Amino acid sequence: MEFKYKNKAYQFPTALSDITLQQRIEFDKVHGAAIIELQNQIYKTDDAGKSLPVDEVDELFFNISVANKNFSFFTGIPLSEVEKNIPIETVLNIYHSCFQVLYEQQENITLQEEYLWNDEFWKIEKPQLTYQSGITFNELIVSKQIVKQIHDLGAGQWESMPYLAAIFLKRENEVFDENWLSPDSERVKMMYELPMDIAISVGFFLAISTSLFQKTSQSLEAEEVEKDQI
């Protein structure tokens, strides 16, 4: 969506494909902690974990704050300038009209056989250890190490995605190379430029596949225990 401010045209994303994985990670770095802190101040629970009543004014303030931060980040207009000079109604109208579409797209992600990106076709490789799986044991171990390292560093949930995408998102007949996972590698740099519709698809696919793999493993373990008890 294009809008004008001080006789200059600005763009605001209207599709997940308009946002890169790098931008999503950077947004968390810049505003993530402040949003979470404010969220925790407003949305509280009692000792039993039940949600407490929320003050409507505080909630409105929170929504405006989040809208301002997104508006500033994706347009490049300084946050202080957005808060002081741009009417709240303008910010909220653009934010809600655009991000409502983004949320709907995210909720309705459809996994595809292949993705066209940078004029090439890419496929997401299943992280499952089966006779039909194209992934190697080493790739699975490396991916788990990446997630653990990112978690230990206390980084955001998207921080590991460029590295995981470097492993599981491949061109036809590509073979995994551990050199891809160097922070300065061209492969990782490329994955930072992934549009968010593909990045979310990779994350969604990995979550589903990992869950199925864990359930299968747990089922097999239960069967083995049952056999031992016979």
Short mmCIF file of all heavy atoms in Angstrom, two decimals, residues 100-161:
data_model
loop_
_atom_site.label_atom_id
_atom_site.label_comp_id
_atom_site.label_asym_id
_atom_site.label_seq_id
_atom_site.Cartn_x
_atom_site.Cartn_y
_atom_site.Cartn_z
N GLN A 100 -4.27 -7.14 8.63
CA GLN A 100 -5.37 -8.09 8.66
C GLN A 100 -5.19 -9.09 7.52
O GLN A 100 -5.39 -10.30 7.68
CB GLN A 100 -6.71 -7.36 8.52
CG GLN A 100 -7.93 -8.28 8.53
CD GLN A 100 -8.07 -9.04 9.84
OE1 GLN A 100 -7.78 -8.49 10.91
NE2 GLN A 100 -8.53 -10.28 9.77
N VAL A 101 -4.79 -8.57 6.35
CA VAL A 101 -4.53 -9.44 5.20
C VAL A 101 -3.35 -10.36 5.47
O VAL A 101 -3.37 -11.54 5.16
CB VAL A 101 -4.27 -8.60 3.93
CG1 VAL A 101 -3.90 -9.50 2.75
CG2 VAL A 101 -5.49 -7.76 3.58
N LEU A 102 -2.30 -9.80 6.09
CA LEU A 102 -1.10 -10.59 6.39
C LEU A 102 -1.43 -11.72 7.36
O LEU A 102 -0.96 -12.86 7.19
CB LEU A 102 -0.01 -9.69 6.99
CG LEU A 102 0.55 -8.59 6.09
CD1 LEU A 102 1.64 -7.81 6.82
CD2 LEU A 102 1.11 -9.16 4.80
N TYR A 103 -2.21 -11.43 8.39
CA TYR A 103 -2.59 -12.46 9.36
C TYR A 103 -3.42 -13.55 8.70
O TYR A 103 -3.25 -14.74 8.98
CB TYR A 103 -3.37 -11.83 10.52
CG TYR A 103 -2.53 -11.00 11.45
CD1 TYR A 103 -3.00 -9.78 11.93
CD2 TYR A 103 -1.26 -11.43 11.85
CE1 TYR A 103 -2.22 -9.00 12.78
CE2 TYR A 103 -0.49 -10.66 12.70
CZ TYR A 103 -0.97 -9.45 13.16
OH TYR A 103 -0.20 -8.68 14.00
N GLU A 104 -4.34 -13.14 7.83
CA GLU A 104 -5.17 -14.13 7.13
C GLU A 104 -4.31 -15.02 6.23
O GLU A 104 -4.52 -16.23 6.16
CB GLU A 104 -6.24 -13.42 6.31
CG GLU A 104 -7.32 -12.76 7.15
CD GLU A 104 -8.32 -11.97 6.32
OE1 GLU A 104 -8.13 -11.91 5.08
OE2 GLU A 104 -9.27 -11.42 6.90
N GLN A 105 -3.33 -14.41 5.56
CA GLN A 105 -2.43 -15.20 4.72
C GLN A 105 -1.63 -16.18 5.56
O GLN A 105 -1.44 -17.34 5.18
CB GLN A 105 -1.47 -14.26 3.96
CG GLN A 105 -2.13 -13.46 2.87
CD GLN A 105 -1.15 -12.54 2.17
OE1 GLN A 105 0.01 -12.41 2.56
NE2 GLN A 105 -1.62 -11.87 1.13
N GLN A 106 -1.16 -15.72 6.72
CA GLN A 106 -0.36 -16.59 7.58
C GLN A 106 -1.18 -17.76 8.10
O GLN A 106 -0.70 -18.89 8.19
CB GLN A 106 0.19 -15.77 8.75
CG GLN A 106 1.10 -16.58 9.68
CD GLN A 106 1.83 -15.69 10.68
OE1 GLN A 106 2.14 -14.54 10.38
NE2 GLN A 106 2.10 -16.21 11.85
N GLU A 107 -2.45 -17.48 8.46
CA GLU A 107 -3.31 -18.54 8.99
C GLU A 107 -3.71 -19.54 7.92
O GLU A 107 -4.09 -20.67 8.23
CB GLU A 107 -4.56 -17.92 9.62
CG GLU A 107 -4.31 -17.15 10.90
CD GLU A 107 -3.75 -18.04 12.00
OE1 GLU A 107 -4.26 -19.16 12.17
OE2 GLU A 107 -2.79 -17.60 12.68
N ASN A 108 -3.64 -19.12 6.67
CA ASN A 108 -4.11 -19.99 5.58
C ASN A 108 -2.98 -20.41 4.65
O ASN A 108 -3.19 -20.63 3.45
CB ASN A 108 -5.20 -19.27 4.77
CG ASN A 108 -6.46 -19.02 5.58
OD1 ASN A 108 -7.19 -19.95 5.91
ND2 ASN A 108 -6.71 -17.77 5.92
N ILE A 109 -1.77 -20.52 5.22
CA ILE A 109 -0.63 -20.98 4.44
C ILE A 109 -0.91 -22.37 3.89
O ILE A 109 -1.32 -23.28 4.62
CB ILE A 109 0.66 -21.01 5.29
CG1 ILE A 109 1.18 -19.59 5.47
CG2 ILE A 109 1.73 -21.88 4.66
CD1 ILE A 109 1.78 -18.96 4.24
N THR A 110 -0.72 -22.55 2.60
CA THR A 110 -0.90 -23.85 1.95
C THR A 110 0.46 -24.37 1.51
O THR A 110 1.17 -23.71 0.74
CB THR A 110 -1.83 -23.74 0.73
OG1 THR A 110 -3.10 -23.22 1.14
CG2 THR A 110 -2.02 -25.10 0.09
N LEU A 111 0.83 -25.54 2.00
CA LEU A 111 2.11 -26.11 1.63
C LEU A 111 2.08 -26.54 0.17
O LEU A 111 1.10 -27.11 -0.30
CB LEU A 111 2.44 -27.30 2.53
CG LEU A 111 2.62 -26.96 4.01
CD1 LEU A 111 2.83 -28.23 4.82
CD2 LEU A 111 3.79 -26.01 4.20
N GLN A 112 3.16 -26.26 -0.53
CA GLN A 112 3.24 -26.56 -1.95
C GLN A 112 4.34 -27.59 -2.23
O GLN A 112 5.25 -27.79 -1.42
CB GLN A 112 3.54 -25.29 -2.74
CG GLN A 112 2.53 -24.18 -2.52
CD GLN A 112 2.93 -22.89 -3.20
OE1 GLN A 112 3.66 -22.89 -4.20
NE2 GLN A 112 2.46 -21.77 -2.67
N GLU A 113 4.22 -28.23 -3.38
CA GLU A 113 5.24 -29.19 -3.79
C GLU A 113 6.57 -28.48 -4.04
O GLU A 113 7.64 -29.01 -3.76
CB GLU A 113 4.79 -29.93 -5.06
CG GLU A 113 3.69 -30.93 -4.84
CD GLU A 113 4.14 -32.13 -4.03
OE1 GLU A 113 5.30 -32.56 -4.20
OE2 GLU A 113 3.35 -32.63 -3.22
N GLU A 114 6.49 -27.28 -4.60
CA GLU A 114 7.69 -26.50 -4.87
C GLU A 114 7.34 -25.03 -4.87
O GLU A 114 6.18 -24.64 -5.00
CB GLU A 114 8.33 -26.92 -6.20
CG GLU A 114 7.41 -26.83 -7.39
CD GLU A 114 8.05 -27.37 -8.65
OE1 GLU A 114 9.14 -27.98 -8.55
OE2 GLU A 114 7.49 -27.17 -9.73
N TYR A 115 8.38 -24.20 -4.69
CA TYR A 115 8.20 -22.76 -4.60
C TYR A 115 9.09 -22.07 -5.63
O TYR A 115 10.27 -22.41 -5.76
CB TYR A 115 8.57 -22.26 -3.20
CG TYR A 115 7.67 -22.82 -2.12
CD1 TYR A 115 7.95 -24.06 -1.54
CD2 TYR A 115 6.55 -22.13 -1.69
CE1 TYR A 115 7.12 -24.58 -0.55
CE2 TYR A 115 5.72 -22.64 -0.70
CZ TYR A 115 6.01 -23.88 -0.14
OH TYR A 115 5.19 -24.40 0.82
N LEU A 116 8.52 -21.11 -6.32
CA LEU A 116 9.30 -20.33 -7.28
C LEU A 116 9.84 -19.10 -6.57
O LEU A 116 9.08 -18.27 -6.06
CB LEU A 116 8.42 -19.90 -8.46
CG LEU A 116 9.11 -19.07 -9.55
CD1 LEU A 116 10.25 -19.86 -10.19
CD2 LEU A 116 8.10 -18.63 -10.61
N TRP A 117 11.17 -19.01 -6.52
CA TRP A 117 11.83 -17.90 -5.84
C TRP A 117 13.13 -17.60 -6.56
O TRP A 117 13.89 -18.50 -6.88
CB TRP A 117 12.10 -18.27 -4.37
CG TRP A 117 12.87 -17.26 -3.59
CD1 TRP A 117 12.65 -15.92 -3.55
CD2 TRP A 117 14.01 -17.49 -2.76
NE1 TRP A 117 13.57 -15.31 -2.74
CE2 TRP A 117 14.42 -16.25 -2.23
CE3 TRP A 117 14.70 -18.65 -2.40
CZ2 TRP A 117 15.50 -16.12 -1.37
CZ3 TRP A 117 15.78 -18.52 -1.54
CH2 TRP A 117 16.18 -17.27 -1.04
N ASN A 118 13.38 -16.33 -6.83
CA ASN A 118 14.57 -15.91 -7.57
C ASN A 118 14.70 -16.66 -8.91
O ASN A 118 15.79 -17.09 -9.30
CB ASN A 118 15.84 -16.14 -6.74
CG ASN A 118 15.99 -15.13 -5.63
OD1 ASN A 118 15.31 -14.10 -5.62
ND2 ASN A 118 16.86 -15.41 -4.67
N ASP A 119 13.55 -16.86 -9.55
CA ASP A 119 13.51 -17.52 -10.87
C ASP A 119 13.99 -18.97 -10.83
O ASP A 119 14.43 -19.50 -11.85
CB ASP A 119 14.35 -16.73 -11.88
CG ASP A 119 13.81 -15.32 -12.10
OD1 ASP A 119 12.57 -15.16 -12.11
OD2 ASP A 119 14.63 -14.40 -12.24
N GLU A 120 13.91 -19.59 -9.66
CA GLU A 120 14.28 -21.00 -9.52
C GLU A 120 13.22 -21.71 -8.69
O GLU A 120 12.54 -21.09 -7.88
CB GLU A 120 15.64 -21.15 -8.85
CG GLU A 120 16.80 -20.58 -9.63
CD GLU A 120 18.13 -20.77 -8.90
OE1 GLU A 120 18.29 -20.10 -7.86
OE2 GLU A 120 18.97 -21.57 -9.35
N PHE A 121 13.12 -23.03 -8.89
CA PHE A 121 12.18 -23.82 -8.11
C PHE A 121 12.90 -24.46 -6.92
O PHE A 121 13.99 -25.00 -7.06
CB PHE A 121 11.54 -24.90 -8.99
CG PHE A 121 10.50 -24.35 -9.93
CD1 PHE A 121 10.80 -24.15 -11.28
CD2 PHE A 121 9.24 -24.00 -9.47
CE1 PHE A 121 9.85 -23.63 -12.14
CE2 PHE A 121 8.27 -23.48 -10.33
CZ PHE A 121 8.58 -23.29 -11.67
N TRP A 122 12.25 -24.38 -5.76
CA TRP A 122 12.80 -24.91 -4.52
C TRP A 122 11.80 -25.86 -3.88
O TRP A 122 10.58 -25.68 -3.99
CB TRP A 122 13.10 -23.78 -3.53
CG TRP A 122 14.08 -22.77 -4.04
CD1 TRP A 122 13.85 -21.82 -5.01
CD2 TRP A 122 15.43 -22.60 -3.63
NE1 TRP A 122 14.99 -21.07 -5.21
CE2 TRP A 122 15.97 -21.53 -4.38
CE3 TRP A 122 16.24 -23.24 -2.69
CZ2 TRP A 122 17.27 -21.08 -4.22
CZ3 TRP A 122 17.54 -22.80 -2.52
CH2 TRP A 122 18.06 -21.74 -3.28
N LYS A 123 12.30 -26.86 -3.18
CA LYS A 123 11.45 -27.80 -2.47
C LYS A 123 11.87 -27.87 -1.00
O LYS A 123 13.04 -27.70 -0.66
CB LYS A 123 11.56 -29.20 -3.08
CG LYS A 123 10.97 -29.29 -4.49
CD LYS A 123 11.00 -30.73 -4.99
CE LYS A 123 10.35 -30.83 -6.37
NZ LYS A 123 10.32 -32.23 -6.87
N ILE A 124 10.88 -28.13 -0.13
CA ILE A 124 11.17 -28.31 1.29
C ILE A 124 11.33 -29.80 1.54
O ILE A 124 10.43 -30.58 1.26
CB ILE A 124 10.03 -27.77 2.17
CG1 ILE A 124 9.75 -26.30 1.84
CG2 ILE A 124 10.38 -27.91 3.65
CD1 ILE A 124 8.53 -25.73 2.54
N GLU A 125 12.48 -30.18 2.07
CA GLU A 125 12.77 -31.59 2.28
C GLU A 125 12.30 -32.04 3.65
O GLU A 125 12.54 -31.38 4.66
CB GLU A 125 14.28 -31.83 2.17
CG GLU A 125 14.63 -33.28 1.92
CD GLU A 125 16.06 -33.40 1.41
OE1 GLU A 125 16.97 -32.97 2.14
OE2 GLU A 125 16.26 -33.89 0.29
N LYS A 126 11.61 -33.16 3.70
CA LYS A 126 11.04 -33.65 4.95
C LYS A 126 12.13 -34.02 5.96
O LYS A 126 13.02 -34.81 5.64
CB LYS A 126 10.17 -34.88 4.69
CG LYS A 126 8.95 -34.62 3.84
CD LYS A 126 8.15 -35.89 3.66
CE LYS A 126 6.92 -35.65 2.80
NZ LYS A 126 6.12 -36.88 2.60
N PRO A 127 12.04 -33.49 7.19
CA PRO A 127 13.02 -33.86 8.23
C PRO A 127 12.59 -35.13 8.95
O PRO A 127 12.40 -35.14 10.15
CB PRO A 127 12.99 -32.65 9.16
CG PRO A 127 11.58 -32.18 9.06
CD PRO A 127 11.13 -32.44 7.65
N GLN A 128 12.41 -36.21 8.20
CA GLN A 128 12.00 -37.48 8.79
C GLN A 128 12.98 -38.57 8.39
O GLN A 128 13.42 -38.62 7.24
CB GLN A 128 10.59 -37.87 8.33
CG GLN A 128 9.52 -36.87 8.76
CD GLN A 128 8.15 -37.27 8.26
OE1 GLN A 128 7.96 -38.35 7.72
NE2 GLN A 128 7.18 -36.40 8.45
N LEU A 129 13.31 -39.42 9.34
CA LEU A 129 14.22 -40.53 9.06
C LEU A 129 13.42 -41.75 8.63
O LEU A 129 12.95 -42.52 9.46
CB LEU A 129 15.07 -40.84 10.29
CG LEU A 129 16.07 -39.75 10.69
CD1 LEU A 129 16.81 -40.15 11.95
CD2 LEU A 129 17.05 -39.47 9.56
N THR A 130 13.24 -41.89 7.35
CA THR A 130 12.57 -43.07 6.81
C THR A 130 13.38 -43.55 5.61
O THR A 130 14.28 -42.86 5.12
CB THR A 130 11.14 -42.74 6.34
OG1 THR A 130 11.22 -41.85 5.21
CG2 THR A 130 10.34 -42.06 7.45
N TYR A 131 13.04 -44.71 5.11
CA TYR A 131 13.76 -45.23 3.95
C TYR A 131 13.52 -44.38 2.71
O TYR A 131 14.33 -44.34 1.79
CB TYR A 131 13.30 -46.67 3.66
CG TYR A 131 13.75 -47.66 4.71
CD1 TYR A 131 12.82 -48.29 5.52
CD2 TYR A 131 15.10 -47.93 4.90
CE1 TYR A 131 13.22 -49.19 6.50
CE2 TYR A 131 15.51 -48.83 5.88
CZ TYR A 131 14.57 -49.46 6.68
OH TYR A 131 14.97 -50.33 7.64
N GLN A 132 12.37 -43.65 2.70
CA GLN A 132 12.06 -42.82 1.54
C GLN A 132 12.59 -41.39 1.66
O GLN A 132 12.57 -40.64 0.71
CB GLN A 132 10.53 -42.76 1.33
CG GLN A 132 9.91 -44.09 0.90
CD GLN A 132 9.74 -45.04 2.07
OE1 GLN A 132 9.54 -44.60 3.19
NE2 GLN A 132 9.83 -46.33 1.80
N SER A 133 13.04 -41.02 2.84
CA SER A 133 13.46 -39.64 3.08
C SER A 133 14.78 -39.33 2.38
O SER A 133 15.70 -40.14 2.39
CB SER A 133 13.60 -39.38 4.58
OG SER A 133 14.08 -38.07 4.80
N GLY A 134 14.84 -38.12 1.79
CA GLY A 134 16.07 -37.71 1.14
C GLY A 134 17.05 -37.07 2.10
O GLY A 134 18.21 -36.82 1.75
N ILE A 135 16.62 -36.80 3.31
CA ILE A 135 17.49 -36.14 4.28
C ILE A 135 18.42 -37.14 4.94
O ILE A 135 18.07 -38.30 5.13
CB ILE A 135 16.65 -35.41 5.35
CG1 ILE A 135 17.54 -34.49 6.18
CG2 ILE A 135 15.93 -36.38 6.24
CD1 ILE A 135 16.76 -33.60 7.12
N THR A 136 19.61 -36.68 5.28
CA THR A 136 20.57 -37.56 5.95
C THR A 136 20.48 -37.37 7.46
O THR A 136 19.96 -36.38 7.95
CB THR A 136 22.00 -37.24 5.49
OG1 THR A 136 22.35 -35.92 5.95
CG2 THR A 136 22.13 -37.32 3.99
N PHE A 137 21.03 -38.34 8.17
CA PHE A 137 21.05 -38.27 9.63
C PHE A 137 21.84 -37.05 10.08
O PHE A 137 21.47 -36.35 11.03
CB PHE A 137 21.67 -39.54 10.20
CG PHE A 137 21.71 -39.57 11.70
CD1 PHE A 137 20.56 -39.77 12.44
CD2 PHE A 137 22.91 -39.40 12.39
CE1 PHE A 137 20.58 -39.79 13.82
CE2 PHE A 137 22.94 -39.42 13.78
CZ PHE A 137 21.77 -39.62 14.49
N ASN A 138 22.92 -36.75 9.38
CA ASN A 138 23.76 -35.62 9.73
C ASN A 138 22.99 -34.31 9.63
O ASN A 138 23.12 -33.42 10.48
CB ASN A 138 24.98 -35.57 8.81
CG ASN A 138 25.94 -34.45 9.19
OD1 ASN A 138 26.32 -34.32 10.35
ND2 ASN A 138 26.33 -33.64 8.22
N GLU A 139 22.16 -34.16 8.60
CA GLU A 139 21.37 -32.94 8.44
C GLU A 139 20.40 -32.77 9.59
O GLU A 139 20.20 -31.65 10.09
CB GLU A 139 20.60 -32.99 7.11
CG GLU A 139 21.50 -32.82 5.89
CD GLU A 139 20.75 -33.10 4.61
OE1 GLU A 139 20.58 -34.28 4.26
OE2 GLU A 139 20.35 -32.14 3.95
N LEU A 140 19.79 -33.85 10.03
CA LEU A 140 18.85 -33.78 11.13
C LEU A 140 19.55 -33.38 12.42
O LEU A 140 19.07 -32.54 13.18
CB LEU A 140 18.14 -35.13 11.31
CG LEU A 140 16.98 -35.15 12.31
CD1 LEU A 140 15.86 -34.23 11.85
CD2 LEU A 140 16.46 -36.56 12.50
N ILE A 141 20.71 -33.98 12.69
CA ILE A 141 21.48 -33.65 13.90
C ILE A 141 21.92 -32.20 13.88
O ILE A 141 21.80 -31.48 14.88
CB ILE A 141 22.70 -34.58 14.03
CG1 ILE A 141 22.25 -36.03 14.26
CG2 ILE A 141 23.61 -34.12 15.16
CD1 ILE A 141 21.43 -36.24 15.51
N VAL A 142 22.42 -31.75 12.73
CA VAL A 142 22.89 -30.37 12.61
C VAL A 142 21.74 -29.40 12.85
O VAL A 142 21.90 -28.38 13.53
CB VAL A 142 23.51 -30.12 11.21
CG1 VAL A 142 23.75 -28.63 10.99
CG2 VAL A 142 24.82 -30.88 11.07
N SER A 143 20.57 -29.70 12.30
CA SER A 143 19.42 -28.81 12.47
C SER A 143 19.01 -28.70 13.94
O SER A 143 18.67 -27.62 14.42
CB SER A 143 18.23 -29.29 11.64
OG SER A 143 17.73 -30.52 12.12
N LYS A 144 19.07 -29.81 14.66
CA LYS A 144 18.73 -29.78 16.08
C LYS A 144 19.76 -28.98 16.87
O LYS A 144 19.43 -28.28 17.82
CB LYS A 144 18.62 -31.21 16.62
CG LYS A 144 17.38 -31.95 16.12
CD LYS A 144 17.21 -33.29 16.82
CE LYS A 144 15.91 -33.94 16.40
NZ LYS A 144 15.66 -35.22 17.10
N GLN A 145 21.02 -29.09 16.49
CA GLN A 145 22.07 -28.33 17.16
C GLN A 145 21.87 -26.83 16.94
O GLN A 145 22.08 -26.02 17.85
CB GLN A 145 23.44 -28.75 16.62
CG GLN A 145 23.86 -30.15 17.06
CD GLN A 145 25.15 -30.59 16.39
OE1 GLN A 145 25.55 -30.05 15.35
NE2 GLN A 145 25.81 -31.59 16.98
N ILE A 146 21.44 -26.46 15.73
CA ILE A 146 21.20 -25.06 15.43
C ILE A 146 20.10 -24.49 16.32
O ILE A 146 20.24 -23.43 16.92
CB ILE A 146 20.80 -24.89 13.94
CG1 ILE A 146 22.01 -25.14 13.04
CG2 ILE A 146 20.24 -23.49 13.68
CD1 ILE A 146 21.66 -25.22 11.58
N VAL A 147 18.99 -25.22 16.41
CA VAL A 147 17.87 -24.76 17.24
C VAL A 147 18.31 -24.61 18.69
O VAL A 147 17.96 -23.64 19.36
CB VAL A 147 16.69 -25.74 17.13
CG1 VAL A 147 15.59 -25.35 18.12
CG2 VAL A 147 16.13 -25.76 15.72
N LYS A 148 19.09 -25.56 19.19
CA LYS A 148 19.56 -25.51 20.58
C LYS A 148 20.48 -24.30 20.79
O LYS A 148 20.36 -23.59 21.79
CB LYS A 148 20.30 -26.79 20.95
CG LYS A 148 20.75 -26.83 22.42
CD LYS A 148 21.47 -28.11 22.75
CE LYS A 148 21.81 -28.17 24.25
NZ LYS A 148 22.60 -27.02 24.70
N GLN A 149 21.39 -24.07 19.88
CA GLN A 149 22.32 -22.96 20.01
C GLN A 149 21.58 -21.62 20.01
O GLN A 149 21.88 -20.74 20.82
CB GLN A 149 23.35 -22.99 18.87
CG GLN A 149 24.34 -24.14 18.99
CD GLN A 149 25.18 -24.31 17.73
OE1 GLN A 149 24.99 -23.60 16.75
NE2 GLN A 149 26.09 -25.28 17.74
N ILE A 150 20.62 -21.48 19.10
CA ILE A 150 19.85 -20.24 19.03
C ILE A 150 19.05 -20.05 20.31
O ILE A 150 18.98 -18.95 20.87
CB ILE A 150 18.89 -20.26 17.82
CG1 ILE A 150 19.69 -20.31 16.50
CG2 ILE A 150 17.97 -19.05 17.84
CD1 ILE A 150 20.53 -19.10 16.24
N HIS A 151 18.47 -21.13 20.82
CA HIS A 151 17.70 -21.07 22.07
C HIS A 151 18.59 -20.68 23.23
O HIS A 151 18.23 -19.87 24.08
CB HIS A 151 17.03 -22.42 22.34
CG HIS A 151 16.20 -22.44 23.59
ND1 HIS A 151 16.72 -22.80 24.82
CD2 HIS A 151 14.90 -22.11 23.82
CE1 HIS A 151 15.79 -22.71 25.74
NE2 HIS A 151 14.67 -22.30 25.16
N ASP A 152 19.80 -21.26 23.30
CA ASP A 152 20.72 -20.96 24.39
C ASP A 152 21.16 -19.50 24.37
O ASP A 152 21.46 -18.92 25.42
CB ASP A 152 21.96 -21.87 24.30
CG ASP A 152 21.64 -23.32 24.64
OD1 ASP A 152 20.56 -23.57 25.20
OD2 ASP A 152 22.46 -24.20 24.31
N LEU A 153 21.19 -18.90 23.19
CA LEU A 153 21.58 -17.50 23.06
C LEU A 153 20.43 -16.57 23.44
O LEU A 153 20.62 -15.36 23.56
CB LEU A 153 22.02 -17.21 21.62
CG LEU A 153 23.35 -17.82 21.18
CD1 LEU A 153 23.57 -17.59 19.69
CD2 LEU A 153 24.51 -17.23 21.96
N GLY A 154 19.25 -17.14 23.61
CA GLY A 154 18.09 -16.33 23.98
C GLY A 154 17.59 -15.47 22.83
O GLY A 154 16.95 -14.44 23.04
N ALA A 155 17.86 -15.89 21.61
CA ALA A 155 17.46 -15.11 20.45
C ALA A 155 15.98 -15.37 20.13
O ALA A 155 15.34 -16.24 20.72
CB ALA A 155 18.33 -15.48 19.25
N GLY A 156 15.44 -14.59 19.18
CA GLY A 156 14.04 -14.74 18.80
C GLY A 156 13.79 -16.03 18.06
O GLY A 156 14.73 -16.69 17.58
N GLN A 157 12.51 -16.38 17.94
CA GLN A 157 12.14 -17.65 17.33
C GLN A 157 12.51 -17.73 15.85
O GLN A 157 12.65 -18.83 15.31
CB GLN A 157 10.63 -17.88 17.48
CG GLN A 157 9.79 -16.82 16.79
CD GLN A 157 8.31 -17.12 16.84
OE1 GLN A 157 7.92 -18.28 16.86
NE2 GLN A 157 7.48 -16.09 16.88
N TRP A 158 12.68 -16.58 15.20
CA TRP A 158 13.00 -16.59 13.77
C TRP A 158 14.49 -16.64 13.50
O TRP A 158 14.90 -16.82 12.35
CB TRP A 158 12.40 -15.35 13.10
CG TRP A 158 10.92 -15.37 13.07
CD1 TRP A 158 10.06 -14.65 13.86
CD2 TRP A 158 10.08 -16.17 12.22
NE1 TRP A 158 8.76 -14.96 13.55
CE2 TRP A 158 8.74 -15.88 12.56
CE3 TRP A 158 10.35 -17.11 11.22
CZ2 TRP A 158 7.66 -16.49 11.91
CZ3 TRP A 158 9.28 -17.71 10.58
CH2 TRP A 158 7.96 -17.41 10.93
N GLU A 159 15.31 -16.49 14.54
CA GLU A 159 16.75 -16.43 14.34
C GLU A 159 17.32 -17.70 13.70
O GLU A 159 18.31 -17.66 12.97
CB GLU A 159 17.46 -16.19 15.69
CG GLU A 159 17.22 -14.82 16.27
CD GLU A 159 18.06 -13.74 15.63
OE1 GLU A 159 18.86 -14.07 14.72
OE2 GLU A 159 17.94 -12.59 16.03
N SER A 160 16.74 -18.84 14.02
CA SER A 160 17.27 -20.10 13.49
C SER A 160 16.78 -20.39 12.08
O SER A 160 17.33 -21.25 11.40
CB SER A 160 16.88 -21.26 14.41
OG SER A 160 15.47 -21.37 14.50
N MET A 161 15.75 -19.68 11.63
CA MET A 161 15.12 -20.04 10.36
C MET A 161 16.04 -19.92 9.14
O MET A 161 15.99 -20.78 8.24
CB MET A 161 13.86 -19.20 10.16
CG MET A 161 13.00 -19.66 8.97
SD MET A 161 12.60 -21.44 9.02
CE MET A 161 11.60 -21.49 10.49
#
